[in-house]
Amino acid sequence: MAERTPVKDWETDFDVMDSRYIADPFTIWDQLRQTCPVAHTDRRQGAWLLTTYDDVTEAAHDVATFSSIEVGVIGADPDEVPDRVLEYGLPPISADAPVHTWTRRLLLPWFSHRRVDEYEVITRDLCRRLIQGFVEKGHADAAADYAQQIPVRIVAQILGVPGDQADVFTGWVRDVLEFADDRERVKHGAEGIFNYLTEEVQRRREDPRDDLISQLVHGEHDGVPIGEDIVLGMAALVMIAGIDTTWSGIGSSLWHLATHPEDAARLVAEPELIDSAIEEFLRAYSPVTMARVVTQDVEWKGCPMHQGDKVLMNFPAANRDPAHFDRPDEVIIDRAINRHVAFGSGIHRCAGSNLARMEMKVAIEEWLAQIPTFSLVEGAELTWAGGQVRGPRVLPVQFP
Amino acid sequence: MKILVNADKCQGHARCYAIAPELFDVDDYGQSTVRGDGVVPADLIEKAKLAIANCPEYAIDVLED
């Protein structure tokens, strides 16, 4: 892993993998929003970092200037030659029109309200079983024993792959998303996912079932069978984007409730606040930052951006912008007006947002139903992941 | 009050549907539409205002106050 020097100046030398940024990005964003709302770094082939709501949403809508062909916050080293390159990456997230348009249309019905209502039944049952496993012990790791175990199994169901492989899938996805500085680990995760899914795709060719992979393998676009690169990329996207993100959202929500018992007590007393509480957790602890690539040399907000530059779409910082949110650093679980962009903005709005919201809601409802009072284990060490996806990875809690 | 979802702006966040399912419907592709002719009954005006104020894409137009 490359040695990293500590950041001295966040305006000109930021690093989203810096331990201080992962622990407390909020004060860094507050400072940047005031002094340098479009920050720059030369680290890792260079990048721009947006921190205001207006800039982030404007850039998200300006798909002519900001392409999605590379959405990773940490780019690959240009000297590295990947073993396997999917022509369109992970569409629709890493595609522009026209590939984005038609691949997204294939994906969306799998995450419609109608489908998500079906998944809710198995999600609730799963949450109850997980809690049964530790409720009598009086303590648990709310991240590893609970939050981490939920979205991966629903994603497995959608893809039609066995849920008992959950820990393997989780490991691969973490390799890809959370350890971007460790190229060996990224390679290991990416190869794991693609080799596994390549076999699954072959199996569905001969033996189609009622799952997303089967539909894609036997699907057509404009009368032509969907190419294997697209099928693999889309299946990998569902796995990669559907696991780490929602698990982070559930974990951050539980961290908040463990450290703010007044909010936990209020949610128990007023369960009808669950929807606004989840929206507020999404706003205040938005997990996901995405990247874009500048398509042409342009002066943008006074900054000289060049073709090929990476721009970080800092949705979490946008959601703490005082220009758009009253008391942005306070978590107000009955906040009535909450135009947050935790799921992005514009044509790349998270395709799984209905599913993520349901999983967060059910996970918190079921937890509070059986564990209404809980707190962090005193002296225990918490760890957070950050960079592309921010959320707690070790979250020891205790309950009477 | 009469409202309309601007189909070009709607990106399927579905906040309107979550807040006021009496007034909005969402299809399998995430596209929101108003139910019926978009005229909001008096007892749902507050909900309609909340849905408008929570749309991240500013996609709900008020045709008549």
Side-chain angles (χ1 to χ4, degrees):
Chain A
M1 193 185 299
E3 275 298 311
R4 293 198 308 265
T5 51
V7 172
K8 290 206 180 76
D9 184 338
W10 290 96
E11 296 179 11
T12 59
D13 182 41
F14 73 81
D15 183 357
V16 296
M17 299 301 280
D18 186 280
S19 58
R20 282 169 299 165
Y21 187 94
I22 289 171
D24 175 20
F26 312 112
T27 53
I28 295 167
W29 298 334
D30 287 345
Q31 180 215 317
L32 288 177
R33 242 185 257 110
Q34 290 175 29
T35 60
C36 183
V38 182
H40 188 264
T41 188
D42 286 328
R43 293 175 189 244
R44 300 189 183 82
Q45 298 96 54
W48 303 90
L49 179 68
L50 315 183
T51 47
T52 73
Y53 186 99
D54 288 341
D55 284 353
V56 169
T57 54
E58 184 182 327
H61 283 83
D62 185 357
V63 294
T65 308
F66 301 102
S67 162
S68 283
I69 50 166
E70 163 69 57
V71 290
V73 161
I74 307 296
D77 190 318
D79 296 335
E80 274 177 43
V81 181
D83 292 346
R84 182 189 169 88
V85 181
L86 294 175
E87 193 178 349
Y88 300 98
L90 310 179
I93 212 170
S94 61
D96 298 322
V99 172
H100 164 266
T101 316
W102 68 264
T103 53
R104 183 173 170 85
R105 222 175 146 72
L106 284 172
L107 209 51
L108 284 170
W110 289 86
F111 302 96
S112 67
H113 280 96
R114 197 169 48 81
R115 285 274 185 174
V116 168
D117 285 348
E118 294 170 22
Y119 307 144
E120 179 170 341
V121 180
I122 52 174
T123 306
R124 208 171 280 284
D125 180 58
L126 169 64
C127 290
R128 285 177 186 164
R129 278 186 290 119
L130 289 168
I131 294 168
Q132 282 311 313
F134 52 70
V135 67
E136 300 298 331
K137 286 196 267 184
H139 63 88
D141 182 336
D145 298 337
Y146 189 64
Q148 179 186 324
Q149 303 297 328
I150 301 165
V152 60
R153 286 180 171 77
I154 309 305
V155 159
Q157 170 97 8
I158 294 168
L159 289 172
V161 297
D164 59 13
Q165 296 287 303
D167 289 344
V168 178
F169 302 149
T170 299
W172 289 334
V173 172
R174 292 194 69 190
D175 286 344
V176 171
L177 288 179
E178 296 179 18
F179 301 93
D181 274 334
D182 185 342
R183 301 314 298 185
E184 277 306 306
R185 229 175 137 162
V186 173
K187 193 166 165 241
H188 174 263
E191 285 180 356
I193 292 168
F194 287 115
N195 291 341
Y196 181 84
L197 290 174
T198 302
E199 272 185 39
E200 292 296 312
V201 164
Q202 284 314 325
R203 217 167 284 166
R204 298 305 188 290
R205 248 184 233 298
E206 290 139 31
D207 178 24
R209 288 184 255 157
D210 180 22
D211 57 41
L212 174 60
I213 296 177
S214 298
Q215 190 208 313
L216 295 175
V217 166
H218 296 277
E220 290 185 347
H221 168 63
D222 273 353
V224 178
I226 300 169
E228 176 151 326
D229 264 21
I230 296 264
V231 174
L232 271 174
M234 290 180 74
L237 170 63
V238 169
M239 183 177 281
I240 293 170
I243 295 180
D244 225 50
T245 50
T246 314
W247 152 30
S248 297
I250 297 168
S252 293
S253 304
L254 289 170
W255 174 84
H256 177 86
L257 294 170
T259 52
H260 299 77
E262 68 284 6
D263 282 341
R266 190 164 174 214
L267 262 184
V268 170
E270 301 171 66
E272 67 278 11
L273 292 182
I274 187 71
D275 287 324
S276 61
I278 295 299
E279 295 306 320
E280 182 66 342
F281 296 149
L282 281 164
R283 181 194 70 79
Y285 308 111
S286 308
V288 181
T289 301
M290 298 295 286
R292 296 287 189 270
V293 179
V294 177
T295 56
Q296 59 202 331
D297 290 1
V298 63
E299 185 176 309
W300 201 80
K301 310 290 163 182
C303 298
M305 295 186 174
H306 296 290
Q307 184 179 2
D309 281 1
K310 190 179 278 289
V311 177
L312 305 190
M313 308 292 294
N314 196 343
F315 298 111
N319 288 335
R320 295 242 184 179
D321 186 343
H324 280 265
F325 299 95
D326 185 32
R327 294 181 286 160
D329 290 323
E330 281 179 50
V331 174
I332 302 167
I333 61 169
D334 61 350
R335 192 183 283 273
I337 296 175
N338 194 347
R339 267 193 177 108
H340 72 79
V341 285
F343 293 110
S345 179
I347 65 166
H348 285 277
R349 186 267 308 167
C350 169
S353 61
N354 295 330
L355 176 65
R357 283 188 159 106
M358 179 279 286
E359 290 176 345
M360 287 179 67
K361 174 180 170 170
V362 169
I364 301 305
E365 279 180 345
E366 292 301 322
W367 179 283
L368 288 176
Q370 295 186 65
I371 308 176
T373 6
F374 60 108
S375 58
L376 298 182
V377 173
E378 219 173 304
E381 198 168 331
L382 276 65
T383 60
W384 290 74
Q388 188 106 39
V389 182
R390 184 175 189 274
R393 293 295 172 263
V394 179
L395 183 58
V397 297
Q398 57 191 5
F399 26 91
Chain B
M1 187 185 209
K2 188 172 179 182
I3 56 175
L4 178 76
V5 176
N6 182 329
D8 292 331
K9 286 187 178 177
C10 174
Q11 298 292 351
H13 295 262
R15 299 281 282 123
C16 56
Y17 178 71
I19 289 167
E22 308 92 329
L23 296 172
F24 300 92
D25 198 4
V26 185
D27 71 14
D28 280 356
Y29 300 92
Q31 180 69 55
S32 288
T33 46
V34 293
R35 292 186 191 272
D37 56 7
V39 174
V40 181
D43 59 331
L44 291 174
I45 284 179
E46 283 313 305
K47 271 197 173 190
K49 287 181 177 169
L50 260 188
I52 293 164
N54 277 285
C55 176
E57 306 287 351
Y58 296 80
I60 306 167
D61 295 331
V62 179
L63 302 181
E64 291 164 27
D65 261 328

